[in-house]
Amino acid sequence: MLPFLYHSEGMKKMKYQQLITFILQQIGGKENILTVTHCMTRLRFTLKNDELVKEEELLKSPDIMTAQFAGGRYQIVVGTHVAQVYQELQQTLGLADNAPEEQKGFLNSLIDTITKVITPVLGILTASGLLQGILALLVVLNVLNTDDGAYIILHAMGQTVFYFLPVALGYTSAKAFKLNPYVGMMLGASLVIPELMTNLTTNEALYTLFQGSFFETPVYKTFFGLPILFPANGYQYTVIPVIFMTFVGAKVERFLQRVIPAILAHNLNAFLTILITVPLSILFIGPVTNVLSQLISAGVSGLYTISPIVTSIVVALLYQPLVILGLHWPLSAIGINNLATLGSDYIFPMSFTANFAQTAVVLAVFLRTRSKETKTLAIPAMISGIFCIIEPAIYGFSLPVKKRFAFSMLGGAVGSVILALFSAKMYTFSFGALGFVAFINPETGSMTGLYLALLATAATMAVAFLLTYFTFSEQVAHEPKDSLIHSEEILAPFTGTVKPLAASQDATFAKGEIGKGIVITPTEGELRAPVSGTVTTVFPGGHAIGITSSSGIEVLIHVGIDTVELKGTGFAVEVVPGQKVQQGQLLGTVDLAAILTAGYDTETVILITNAQEYLDVMMTEQTKVKNTDLLLTVIPFAQNKEIAFAVEGN
């Protein structure tokens, strides 16, 4: 076969189809394939019968770099164009991945996308919230002053995640939109590089656009004659611009993949994607986002002059959705301006209780759920919520179950109305548990605002907590086997002693190159199923068995070091590929004494080979286990539907 050097899309498709036909011939045909996936360069096949593979013939193809068994699958390395080959392969096989996606509607699709983008950064958001809360407490207790070196360093640590949030979101957005994630990071970084704000918003303006209107904008620089409308405060702390930016970047990259020859794609695709997307974003996407922000600011200010009560309800109901969209900053801008010019503000009190509403929702879930994983995640979410970092609560607990998010909105509105009824104002910029002092009038020393804030917060938390608590119902979800449904417990397949994967004698396993997991040295020979699911592979000789759980977790049990050389001696396997098994079911027996006598180690590795699709894989703290004991706990990402923590539906 000729290498992939063709420019036209039609020729590429033909060459991909020829390669696919060749591969299928050498691995036993369509009927021998159980599943197929791909990574950056290789196709990964789970086969019914591994002995049908003609590896020598595969390696003769100039379009195949290498082929081998690894991680319970047969892997064929074809290069960086693997995604296109995989797409053609899916069509050839007629697999379900090519079925049209469910039409979710705009709102659900938007929420799903934003959740996928935000959830992976919840950990660093929580860390930042805790750090800022502790720092504020140290200042209140006079342990630190704001000009101390320790304060400066700790404050910078707390602000770093928000300042560079577009970089992190560039990566997660790229993953969501199937863009090269490193290109996504570059796109995000281009929004926050300091020289842009320094050079695009200073010196004398060339001219002013929309002069005399609400959207009046000075232009300091042009891009080949086009005006650059760069915000004075830059794009730090923003969410929406980088999401739209990576969405456009993904479209650009896919277009380039169709028109650029494969031999040039590795060097040109990333370059051209960045070259096209960054100017497009700075010139158009960013300004459009700013216009939207200005419209929000104008709407709030105008509404307040008509009715403060109505304004408080509108702001309170909209504030939390705006946090999701990253569009709540215009409200903060109004408040900061009021503090600077008037010495007090009416906007901040309208959103003051929102974080307490979210915290109350998480508290209710914490008290009602039976899931240990949910309780573990709830504690840091509540702590950060108290210090006004509500993203972990929103994306981890309330947004995935939409009625909870509605409850938090209603709770926030109740507190907002109470504060508006009594015209409570804030005199400094401070939120969360330490923000109550902002309601103390510095001129008169009046504590009335503080008492009102405490009352409003109590009412907010009561409403959000009670609505969530009494409508909570925990249930086991039923989803397709390939979706990540809930945290799942992996039982020990053997009775024996346990040690971390990093301590494995096999360097490949120890490095985690095939997946996350744990090591057992068996003391008894009964091998039992660690999960309920389908046996996807049984290696020749029976020294390794792969099982895919009913929720999609891929478990590989590899018994012994180099025991493939025994060619089945000492192994008696009682299951076959495609067979359904129940957790704890006998899979076979292993003659440990025979393996040791033959000079091989019985160290057994239990791996989650698709661990990258999950938030974490936690190992037992026990050093000795029985083959019915908990060994591993697989925790999904929070964005995997409202059932990610096995909680109630909508």
Side-chain angles (χ1 to χ4, degrees), residues 23 46 86 142 161 181 282 289 306 312 347 356 377 389 391 395 399 413 470 479 563 589 599 607 640:
I23 290 174
T46 302
Y86 176 78
N142 293 319
V161 62
I282 292 177
T289 304
I306 299 173
S312 69
I347 290 291
F356 295 104
L377 293 170
I389 302 298
E391 284 83 357
Y395 294 107
L399 186 60
F470 288 110
E479 286 282 294
T563 46
T589 56
L607 294 175
N640 290 300

Side-chain angles (χ1 to χ4, degrees), residues 516-537:
K516 294 182 180 180
I518 199 168
V519 176
I520 293 180
T521 300
T523 55
E524 297 179 8
E526 285 191 351
L527 173 61
R528 296 190 176 274
V531 293
S532 297
T534 303
V535 177
T536 51
T537 186

Side-chain angles (χ1 to χ4, degrees), residues 494-552:
F494 280 117
T495 295
T497 58
V498 176
K499 63 182 179 180
L501 183 63
S504 172
Q505 298 180 46
D506 189 300
T508 300
F509 291 143
K511 292 177 182 178
E513 294 178 351
I514 299 176
K516 294 182 180 180
I518 199 168
V519 176
I520 293 180
T521 300
T523 55
E524 297 179 8
E526 285 191 351
L527 173 61
R528 296 190 176 274
V531 293
S532 297
T534 303
V535 177
T536 51
T537 186
V538 176
F539 276 68
H543 70 288
I545 297 175
I547 301 175
T548 299
S549 77
S550 56
S551 64

Side-chain angles (χ1 to χ4, degrees), residues 262-280:
I263 194 172
L264 301 176
H266 180 71
N267 293 321
L268 286 182
N269 277 7
F271 163 68
L272 291 175
T273 300
I274 294 171
L275 180 64
I276 295 170
T277 307
V278 172
L280 189 64

Side-chain angles (χ1 to χ4, degrees), residues 45-276:
F45 294 91
T46 302
L47 304 175
K48 296 178 183 178
N49 187 348
D50 296 334
E51 294 180 352
L52 296 179
V53 174
K54 302 175 183 177
E55 188 165 292
E56 291 182 2
E57 293 299 318
L58 284 169
L59 295 177
K60 291 179 182 179
S61 170
D63 296 325
I64 295 175
M65 299 177 186
T66 188
Q68 61 185 3
F69 281 103
R73 301 177 183 180
Y74 195 70
Q75 303 188 14
I76 300 177
V77 181
V78 298
T80 55
H81 52 276
V82 66
Q84 292 90 331
V85 177
Y86 176 78
Q87 185 177 8
E88 293 295 327
L89 176 60
Q90 291 291 86
Q91 293 177 0
T92 301
L93 297 177
L95 297 182
D97 282 4
N98 288 305
E101 294 185 1
E102 176 187 359
Q103 297 299 315
K104 301 178 181 179
F106 175 76
L107 180 59
N108 286 333
S109 297
L110 180 63
I111 290 175
D112 285 348
T113 298
I114 294 176
T115 304
K116 288 178 183 178
V117 170
I118 297 293
T119 299
V121 301
L122 288 179
I124 57 176
L125 287 174
T126 299
S128 177
L130 293 175
L131 184 57
Q132 292 183 78
I134 292 171
L135 185 60
L137 183 61
L138 293 176
V139 173
V140 170
L141 297 176
N142 293 319
V143 176
L144 289 177
N145 293 317
T146 56
D147 57 352
D148 289 343
Y151 175 90
I152 294 171
I153 292 176
L154 292 173
H155 183 265
M157 290 167 57
Q159 288 296 313
T160 295
V161 62
F162 291 98
Y163 188 94
F164 293 105
L165 189 58
V167 180
L169 295 182
Y171 180 86
T172 58
S173 297
K175 298 284 282 186
F177 296 127
K178 299 181 180 179
L179 169 70
N180 181 331
Y182 300 103
V183 171
M185 292 176 66
M186 288 293 293
L187 297 180
S190 69
L191 291 178
V192 298
I193 187 168
E195 70 177 85
L196 287 184
M197 190 160 60
T198 301
N199 296 321
L200 296 180
T201 60
T202 57
N203 299 322
E204 186 176 351
L206 299 176
Y207 51 88
T208 301
L209 290 178
F210 315 115
Q211 193 162 13
S213 72
F214 175 77
F215 301 108
E216 180 174 311
T217 305
V219 176
Y220 298 91
K221 295 288 190 298
T222 63
F223 184 82
F224 295 108
L226 296 174
I228 301 175
L229 307 180
F230 200 83
N233 295 322
Y235 290 103
Q236 298 87 342
Y237 310 94
T238 61
V239 173
I240 291 300
V242 70
I243 293 178
F244 276 94
M245 192 178 192
T246 50
F247 173 76
V248 172
K251 297 291 186 183
V252 172
E253 184 181 67
R254 279 193 280 277
F255 171 76
L256 294 173
Q257 288 172 346
R258 293 196 301 268
V259 301
I260 294 180
I263 194 172
L264 301 176
H266 180 71
N267 293 321
L268 286 182
N269 277 7
F271 163 68
L272 291 175
T273 300
I274 294 171
L275 180 64
I276 295 170

Side-chain angles (χ1 to χ4, degrees), residues 392-461:
I394 289 177
Y395 294 107
F397 291 86
S398 64
L399 186 60
V401 183
K402 298 179 183 64
K403 66 182 180 183
R404 291 185 193 165
F405 193 74
F407 295 157
S408 68
M409 290 170 60
L410 290 174
V414 169
S416 179
V417 168
I418 291 174
L419 291 172
L421 280 172
F422 294 94
S423 301
K425 290 182 173 58
M426 293 178 69
Y427 298 90
T428 61
F429 182 76
S430 183
F431 281 84
L434 301 176
F436 291 102
V437 294
F439 287 89
I440 300 174
N441 191 320
E443 295 183 0
T444 65
S446 173
M447 301 284 286
T448 303
L450 172 62
Y451 300 142
L452 287 171
L454 291 170
L455 173 64
T457 299
T460 287
M461 296 190 71

Side-chain angles (χ1 to χ4, degrees), residues 245-425:
M245 192 178 192
T246 50
F247 173 76
V248 172
K251 297 291 186 183
V252 172
E253 184 181 67
R254 279 193 280 277
F255 171 76
L256 294 173
Q257 288 172 346
R258 293 196 301 268
V259 301
I260 294 180
I263 194 172
L264 301 176
H266 180 71
N267 293 321
L268 286 182
N269 277 7
F271 163 68
L272 291 175
T273 300
I274 294 171
L275 180 64
I276 295 170
T277 307
V278 172
L280 189 64
S281 299
I282 292 177
L283 293 173
F284 299 104
I285 296 175
V288 169
T289 304
N290 288 336
V291 168
L292 181 60
S293 300
Q294 289 175 331
L295 288 173
I296 294 174
S297 299
V300 172
S301 300
L303 186 60
Y304 188 80
T305 60
I306 299 173
S307 172
I309 301 299
V310 173
T311 305
S312 69
I313 295 174
V314 172
V315 170
L317 291 176
L318 290 180
Y319 178 75
Q320 294 176 62
L322 289 175
V323 169
I324 297 175
L325 297 173
L327 296 175
H328 58 297
W329 299 111
L331 295 177
S332 299
I334 297 173
I336 292 172
N337 182 71
N338 289 340
L339 289 174
T341 57
L342 304 175
S344 63
D345 172 61
Y346 61 87
I347 290 291
F348 286 141
M350 296 178 186
S351 58
F352 180 79
T353 61
N355 61 297
F356 295 104
Q358 287 287 342
T359 302
V361 167
V362 179
L363 176 61
V365 174
F366 175 82
L367 294 176
R368 290 298 307 272
T369 185
R370 292 169 296 180
S371 168
K372 293 181 181 179
E373 291 77 24
T374 302
K375 288 181 181 291
T376 299
L377 293 170
I379 293 174
M382 287 189 287
I383 294 174
S384 60
I386 290 173
F387 291 113
C388 204
I389 302 298
I390 61 175
E391 284 83 357
I394 289 177
Y395 294 107
F397 291 86
S398 64
L399 186 60
V401 183
K402 298 179 183 64
K403 66 182 180 183
R404 291 185 193 165
F405 193 74
F407 295 157
S408 68
M409 290 170 60
L410 290 174
V414 169
S416 179
V417 168
I418 291 174
L419 291 172
L421 280 172
F422 294 94
S423 301
K425 290 182 173 58

